[in-house]
Amino acid sequence: MIIASQYARALYSLVKENPKTGKEFLTGLRAALKRRGHEKLLPQIFTEYKKLEVAGERRAQAQKVTPERERTRILFELYKKLIA
């Protein structure tokens, strides 16, 4: 796994748990990157973080129960019972 993606996953999980303190996490991340000499990774970390956000949004959208999905689920269950 790439170092940038590890930083992004750690940041994403922290921000997901405590969204109000996200700014503090960013300043801490920047300080840690500066100490370790990884400041060049910031654009890659940002890109990976955006990917994680988009994936989370898509996951939430896919899990959302809509009236069409509920109707399809019921019809599928009735079809299974009819076939069996």
Side-chain angles (χ1 to χ4, degrees), residues 39-66:
E39 261 188 311
K40 291 185 278 185
L41 294 176
L42 274 174
Q44 294 173 353
I45 293 170
F46 179 71
T47 303
E48 291 293 326
Y49 185 83
K50 283 294 185 186
K51 286 180 187 176
L52 291 172
E53 278 189 341
V54 168
E57 291 172 3
R58 288 181 180 169
R59 193 176 309 111
Q61 184 67 22
Q63 290 175 350
K64 194 176 186 181
V65 178
T66 62

Side-chain angles (χ1 to χ4, degrees), residues 19-84:
K20 293 181 180 178
T21 57
K23 205 170 197 177
E24 295 173 15
F25 293 139
L26 285 176
T27 56
L29 175 66
R30 187 173 190 118
L33 290 174
K34 194 171 192 175
R35 276 194 312 257
R36 295 177 182 160
H38 291 162
E39 261 188 311
K40 291 185 278 185
L41 294 176
L42 274 174
Q44 294 173 353
I45 293 170
F46 179 71
T47 303
E48 291 293 326
Y49 185 83
K50 283 294 185 186
K51 286 180 187 176
L52 291 172
E53 278 189 341
V54 168
E57 291 172 3
R58 288 181 180 169
R59 193 176 309 111
Q61 184 67 22
Q63 290 175 350
K64 194 176 186 181
V65 178
T66 62
E68 289 178 6
R69 282 193 177 181
E70 185 65 20
R71 184 175 51 228
T72 303
R73 184 189 64 79
I74 291 171
L75 287 173
F76 188 66
E77 286 179 7
L78 289 172
Y79 177 74
K80 279 182 171 179
K81 287 180 182 178
L82 185 67
I83 296 294

